Amino acid sequence: MNFQQLRYIREAVRCGFNLTDVAATLHTSQPGVSRQVRELEEELGIEIFSRAGKRLTGLTPPGAALLPYVNRLLQEADNIKRASHELQGREDGKLSIAATHSQARYALPQVVKEFRQRYPRVSLHLHQGSPKQLAEMLLCGEADIAVATEALASYEALATLPCYRWTHSIVVPPDHPLLALDRPVTLKDLAAYPLITYELGYTGRSHIDDAFASAGLPYEVVMTAMDADVIKTYVELEMGVGIVASIAVDPDRDRQLRILDAGHLFQINVTRLGLRKGQWLPKYAFAFIEMFVPTLNQVVVTQALNG
Amino acid sequence: MNFQQLRYIREAVRCGFNLTDVAATLHTSQPGVSRQVRELEEELGIEIFSRAGKRLTGLTPPGAALLPYVNRLLQEADNIKRASHELQGREDGKLSIAATHSQARYALPQVVKEFRQRYPRVSLHLHQGSPKQLAEMLLCGEADIAVATEALASYEALATLPCYRWTHSIVVPPDHPLLALDRPVTLKDLAAYPLITYELGYTGRSHIDDAFASAGLPYEVVMTAMDADVIKTYVELEMGVGIVASIAVDPDRDRQLRILDAGHLFQINVTRLGLRKGQWLPKYAFAFIEMFVPTLNQVVVTQALNG
DNA sequence: AGAACTTACGATGTACGTAACGATT
DNA sequence: AATCGTTACGTACATCGTAAGTTCT
């Protein structure tokens, strides 16, 4: 048993049991992969992959049972490599943050700025994607930290930590009838207008649907986008009433729009930080998290990482 | 980085940084060990061992920081090998139980008998030792399960689970004055006689000392032993009053002695089961535990193992 | 016919053991 | 002088890539 063999197993699962792809991904020859896989199976005494003739078709039951152990071992190996790099006492390295657009655009910039001043030699990578994509990035090791409001909690292998709470705001053009109301906006008021808001699965969208649904109000979303900037643009074009995260609007910067609080209409949202359980993180990653959410110090985060 | 190198590191620590011993223990040549250690250090970019000239003297700070990761990885590797053996669908294997004399002699026999009937092809190894030794056996992988009443809980890397509660009994020769009392025995009564009981660190001995100490009573332990059989033998010789675990005495079998309950005198003892955290256990090990303590099913035990 | 895995084979590289050397106690 | 680690060197084994072969779609 060696690391190479285990890597081949892991990659074979990721590549849909196509050893040719595995070889290509890991920059080696296909016969070599084939051989190593068989040798590992022989050494362990179990068939890991089910085969239709010569082709691999999937995992056998024992193979499936073994896979989590293989993944954990390879993760430990990775931890050793990462840890030893830091133990050289250097403050350089790489930090990959994966975030949804909203987070990357409105919540992270200040932290990123502060982080760069403190750790100028760490190269910072900011990936963007849907919450689901963020989870995938964490799981395959592409990202170290994910920040999103939805859907990170549904993976067993991920740990999530609450960062901050926020509510929605309504954005309208300057002459909109909603501004003439002498009372707080209601869901019924809103339902009378075409709405522009986030796509499903993004930035608290589900809470918006929930609110209208539980109030029994029919409503029309005429447009959806992944980010507040796009939404605001179309509100300016008078295509409808926008519902966005409060952090995404600012009376000073968005002078061509008017902002109404919607904190009383929709459920409070909690933005969460996602990490891969069991993963070792460099010191500067803990520092980043603490800069973002001061209560999440290294002790708290470590606890979450180790179950 | 490969398994061999990591094994050398682990063994070097265990062997007190003597690479000659490492080579002997792992059945290889000393220069090979030396070379592999250096190559790993070079690859990871850190000095793992501190050296006085050529001799290894200990771990460097980064080496000490890295060691836990190395140990965890090697344990994962071991888990894979053990798990794959079981996944072959065979019901054979090995189970090492480490227990104190009291447990091995009085608590385990019934379980062992039942286990052997259910898993006749599993070879069962019963090790004996002091609670401290049991902990060491668990940590170095010599034992899979430990059973003891004291001192297992004090290791970070071990998980403990309560098995059963028991109290002490007093044993005396048939004509002893304590038998003439028309009321329950008190600590003061006991303190009047020379006592024979367990050695320090064994089978609830600390609770005995605690009871006398907090009552402010001077008492004399004239003899200590690691097991109830020895204690009973010397009680028979009229050398003193014995205090032993209740499970260790039986009116039918110990006809030459008289037994008095001491449950009201000393704190209740809890016998605990010790396991190494993160260690994979074969199905039959879970079965053994459940036979011993029916409430400790696989789910409960797995939870304890994973923190 | 093409895609995918296996077999065969030769080249390279790595690991290991023996033996000699150097340093420390 | 003895112990312990390093250097040197030759052998054996493992890995890897290319090329040809086989089987399934």
Side-chain angles (χ1 to χ4, degrees):
Chain A
M1 182 166 79
N2 57 46
F3 289 116
Q4 197 80 319
Q5 293 170 330
L6 299 175
R7 266 193 289 271
Y8 290 167
I9 299 296
R10 177 177 67 179
E11 202 59 36
V13 175
R14 287 187 182 163
C15 289
F17 312 104
N18 182 326
L19 297 192
T20 308
D21 286 3
V22 172
T25 309
L26 301 181
H27 307 105
T28 184
S29 70
Q30 183 274 321
V33 175
S34 183
R35 195 152 161 45
Q36 291 300 320
V37 169
R38 289 203 94 90
E39 279 182 10
L40 180 61
E41 288 184 318
E42 201 170 327
E43 181 182 343
L44 296 182
I46 55 177
E47 299 239 307
I48 296 172
F49 296 108
S50 56
R51 293 170 169 83
K54 293 191 167 179
R55 253 156 241 234
L56 275 63
T57 56
L59 287 164
T60 60
L66 207 63
L67 186 66
Y69 298 105
V70 172
N71 283 327
R72 269 174 57 182
L73 190 142
L74 289 172
Q75 191 178 353
E76 291 288 342
D78 207 49
N79 287 348
I80 287 184
K81 283 179 209 150
R82 289 163 183 260
S84 60
H85 182 265
E86 172 162 300
L87 288 166
Q88 291 174 22
R90 297 155 54 175
E91 279 208 342
D92 62 344
K94 193 184 124 180
L95 184 62
S96 289
I97 314 285
T100 53
H101 176 90
S102 301
Q103 304 303 326
R105 173 83 170 76
Y106 298 105
L108 293 177
Q110 313 139 31
V111 193
V112 168
K113 191 183 169 192
E114 189 187 346
F115 181 82
R116 283 215 61 77
Q117 284 173 347
R118 171 65 188 82
Y119 294 98
R121 309 200 50 176
V122 173
S123 79
L124 201 57
H125 298 253
L126 202 56
H127 299 279
Q128 246 180 74
S130 70
K132 257 197 169 173
Q133 288 175 314
L134 303 190
E136 293 299 333
M137 286 187 214
L138 280 180
L139 287 172
C140 76
E142 254 177 84
D144 303 310
I145 303 172
V147 188
T149 303
E150 310 208 355
L152 281 178
S154 44
Y155 290 81
E156 176 60 31
L158 298 186
T160 68
L161 290 160
C163 294
Y164 64 89
R165 303 148 72 84
W166 54 270
T167 56
H168 286 98
S169 285
I170 297 163
V171 287
V172 291
D175 54 351
H176 198 274
L178 279 176
L179 297 168
L181 295 175
D182 52 354
R183 51 172 174 77
V185 179
T186 65
L187 282 177
K188 202 173 167 189
D189 296 331
L190 265 183
Y193 299 97
L195 302 176
I196 306 178
T197 190
Y198 298 104
E199 282 184 19
L200 263 173
Y202 276 82
T203 324
R205 164 68 190 266
S206 58
H207 289 170
I208 294 174
D209 292 335
D210 291 349
F212 285 113
S214 64
L217 286 168
Y219 61 108
E220 189 192 8
V221 174
V222 293
M223 229 195 103
T224 62
M226 296 192 307
D227 65 272
D229 290 318
V230 173
I231 295 171
K232 287 190 285 185
T233 304
Y234 287 91
V235 170
E236 274 183 60
L237 298 176
E238 312 228 336
M239 286 186 52
V241 172
I243 306 173
V244 298
S246 297
I247 45 165
V249 287
D250 178 56
D252 282 344
R253 286 194 313 196
D254 299 315
R255 290 181 184 279
Q256 68 289 22
L257 293 171
R258 295 296 174 271
I259 302 164
L260 293 164
D261 183 49
H264 56 299
L265 299 180
F266 310 111
Q267 211 181 313
I268 291 175
N269 300 277
V270 179
T271 290
R272 292 177 166 277
L273 200 139
L275 303 166
R276 188 158 63 137
K277 279 185 192 168
Q279 169 150 16
W280 179 88
L281 288 177
K283 235 189 267 174
Y284 52 76
F286 288 108
F288 183 92
I289 293 171
E290 199 166 351
M291 285 177 194
F292 189 40
V293 188
T295 57
L296 296 181
N297 57 35
Q298 182 158 354
V299 176
V300 175
V301 176
T302 304
Q303 215 158 26
L305 280 173
N306 301 323
Chain B
M1 182 167 81
N2 58 46
F3 289 116
Q4 199 79 317
Q5 294 170 330
L6 299 175
R7 265 191 292 270
Y8 291 166
I9 299 294
R10 177 175 68 180
E11 203 59 36
V13 176
R14 287 187 183 162
C15 290
F17 313 103
N18 182 326
L19 296 192
T20 308
D21 286 4
V22 172
T25 309
L26 301 182
H27 308 104
T28 183
S29 72
Q30 185 272 323
V33 175
S34 183
R35 195 158 158 52
Q36 292 298 320
V37 168
R38 290 203 94 88
E39 279 182 9
L40 181 61
E41 289 185 317
E42 200 170 327
E43 180 182 342
L44 296 182
I46 54 177
E47 299 239 304
I48 295 172
F49 297 108
S50 56
R51 292 170 169 83
K54 291 191 169 180
R55 251 157 244 232
L56 274 62
T57 56
L59 288 164
T60 59
L66 207 63
L67 187 65
Y69 297 105
V70 173
N71 283 327
R72 269 174 57 183
L73 190 142
L74 289 172
Q75 190 177 355
E76 291 289 341
D78 207 50
N79 286 349
I80 287 184
K81 282 178 207 147
R82 289 163 183 259
S84 60
H85 182 266
E86 172 162 300
L87 288 167
Q88 291 173 23
R90 296 155 55 176
E91 280 209 344
D92 62 344
K94 194 185 124 181
L95 183 62
S96 289
I97 315 284
T100 53
H101 175 90
S102 302
Q103 304 304 326
R105 173 85 169 75
Y106 299 105
L108 293 177
Q110 314 139 28
V111 193
V112 168
K113 190 181 169 194
E114 190 187 344
F115 182 82
R116 283 215 59 77
Q117 285 174 346
R118 171 65 188 83
Y119 295 98
R121 312 202 47 178
V122 174
S123 79
L124 201 57
H125 297 254
L126 203 56
H127 298 279
Q128 246 181 74
S130 69
K132 257 199 171 173
Q133 288 174 314
L134 303 190
E136 293 299 333
M137 287 188 213
L138 280 180
L139 288 173
C140 76
E142 252 177 81
D144 302 311
I145 302 173
V147 188
T149 303
E150 310 208 354
L152 280 178
S154 44
Y155 290 80
E156 176 60 34
L158 298 185
T160 70
L161 288 160
C163 294
Y164 64 90
R165 302 148 72 84
W166 55 270
T167 55
H168 287 97
S169 284
I170 298 162
V171 286
V172 290
D175 54 354
H176 198 276
L178 278 176
L179 296 167
L181 294 176
D182 53 354
R183 52 172 172 78
V185 180
T186 64
L187 282 176
K188 204 174 166 187
D189 297 332
L190 265 182
Y193 299 97
L195 302 177
I196 305 178
T197 190
Y198 299 104
E199 281 184 20
L200 264 172
Y202 277 83
T203 323
R205 163 68 190 265
S206 57
H207 289 171
I208 295 174
D209 292 336
D210 290 348
F212 285 112
S214 65
L217 285 168
Y219 62 108
E220 189 192 7
V221 175
V222 293
M223 226 195 103
T224 61
M226 294 193 310
D227 65 270
D229 291 318
V230 174
I231 295 171
K232 287 189 286 187
T233 304
Y234 287 91
V235 171
E236 273 182 62
L237 298 176
E238 314 227 340
M239 287 187 50
V241 173
I243 305 174
V244 298
S246 298
I247 44 165
V249 288
D250 179 53
D252 283 344
R253 287 195 310 197
D254 299 315
R255 289 181 186 278
Q256 68 288 22
L257 293 171
R258 295 297 173 268
I259 302 163
L260 292 164
D261 183 47
H264 56 299
L265 299 180
F266 309 110
Q267 210 180 313
I268 292 175
N269 300 278
V270 180
T271 290
R272 293 177 166 278
L273 200 138
L275 303 166
R276 188 159 64 138
K277 278 184 194 170
Q279 170 150 13
W280 179 88
L281 288 177
K283 235 189 267 175
Y284 51 75
F286 288 108
F288 183 93
I289 293 171
E290 197 165 354
M291 285 176 193
F292 189 40
V293 188
T295 56
L296 295 182
N297 58 35
Q298 180 157 356
V299 176
V300 175
V301 176
T302 304
Q303 216 157 26
L305 279 173
N306 300 323

